[in-house]
Amino acid sequence: MTSRPTKTLVAAAGLLLPLTALTACGAVQAAAGQPAATTTPTATPTATAAPVAVEPVANDLALGSAHHQLQAGGMDLAVDYWSTLDVSQWTAQAAKPVQLAATITGPNLGTGKKQQRAYISSFSVTSTAVAADGSVTSPVTVQDVSRQTPGYLAMAPYAYSTSFVVPAVPEGTRSVELLISYDVLEQSAPGADDYSKQTATDTLTLAIAAPAAASTGN
């Protein structure tokens, strides 16, 4: 009866020997100047979203005025645009006035008896607000149609002058795109009552100023 417990203890000691040997091996390596193997954590790179570059808005009235040369058939149309409102105040909610003066020139035009005359019979401008994401609002069109026949005399030294207002646009609008059209009538011959019509088109991009940050007082 006393021999069975003794055999059980010997078997248990035999199971413990391999674990003791591994621990001792590590201790011997450390004593011999060989560092024990260690596990170094590896840093996992974190993806960072690249900043999206915002393209600046091209503002045709950034200098306060703009001069454009247009073609209407064989005639030239020189147009000056400007605004009485500083571009820094072209905010979304502001009424934004634009003025223009257009003059027609051409090889057959003049005030002499043997020269033809040219007129602007109608003028229109369509404005579209463009947001930062590229979405647009429904376009708004204003038009000026001459009440006199054949139209407004607009050849040098005279000019067709008018103004219009770009209305308030939604907050978040980055620019207003203007599509401008001029219907030009030219006499078929000096003193004739027949006219040919040519249309000149133009575009203007006008930046909308960001609203000023509200200041807080102490």
Side-chain angles (χ1 to χ4, degrees):
M1 297 295 293
T2 57
S3 61
R4 293 176 63 85
T6 302
K7 291 181 180 180
T8 303
L9 291 174
V10 171
L15 292 174
L16 290 174
L17 282 176
L19 295 178
T20 306
L22 288 175
T23 305
C25 180
V28 170
Q29 290 178 350
Q34 299 179 3
T38 59
T39 302
T40 304
T42 303
T44 302
T46 303
T48 303
V52 178
V54 178
E55 293 292 333
V57 177
N59 189 352
D60 287 323
L61 293 184
L63 300 179
S65 64
H67 178 80
H68 290 186
Q69 288 287 147
L70 312 176
Q71 290 294 126
M75 298 171 287
D76 296 319
L77 189 63
V79 188
D80 289 305
Y81 301 96
W82 68 96
S83 178
T84 55
L85 183 67
D86 189 89
V87 292
S88 64
Q89 299 178 36
W90 272 61
T91 59
Q93 295 304 311
K96 299 161 277 291
V98 178
Q99 294 176 280
L100 66 90
T103 302
I104 308 167
T105 58
N108 300 321
L109 303 181
T111 56
K113 292 183 179 181
K114 295 184 179 181
Q115 293 176 304
Q116 296 158 217
R117 298 193 174 192
Y119 304 81
I120 290 180
S121 60
S122 67
F123 160 83
S124 67
V125 55
T126 300
S127 61
T128 305
V130 183
D133 61 1
S135 59
V136 299
T137 62
S138 299
V140 178
T141 300
V142 295
Q143 190 174 29
D144 176 22
V145 178
S146 175
R147 296 182 180 180
Q148 62 184 34
T149 303
Y152 304 109
L153 184 64
M155 48 182 243
Y158 304 99
Y160 169 77
S161 298
T162 191
S163 63
F164 57 91
V165 174
V166 178
V169 293
E171 291 293 345
T173 297
R174 291 193 67 215
S175 64
V176 173
E177 305 289 337
L178 301 181
L179 175 62
I180 305 170
S181 177
Y182 304 85
D183 284 342
V184 181
L185 300 182
E186 180 185 17
Q187 280 183 315
S188 59
D193 292 330
D194 297 324
Y195 302 87
S196 63
K197 187 189 84 168
Q198 303 289 342
T199 300
T201 58
D202 200 3
T203 59
L204 284 179
T205 299
L206 307 175
I208 298 300
S215 59
T216 58
N218 296 328

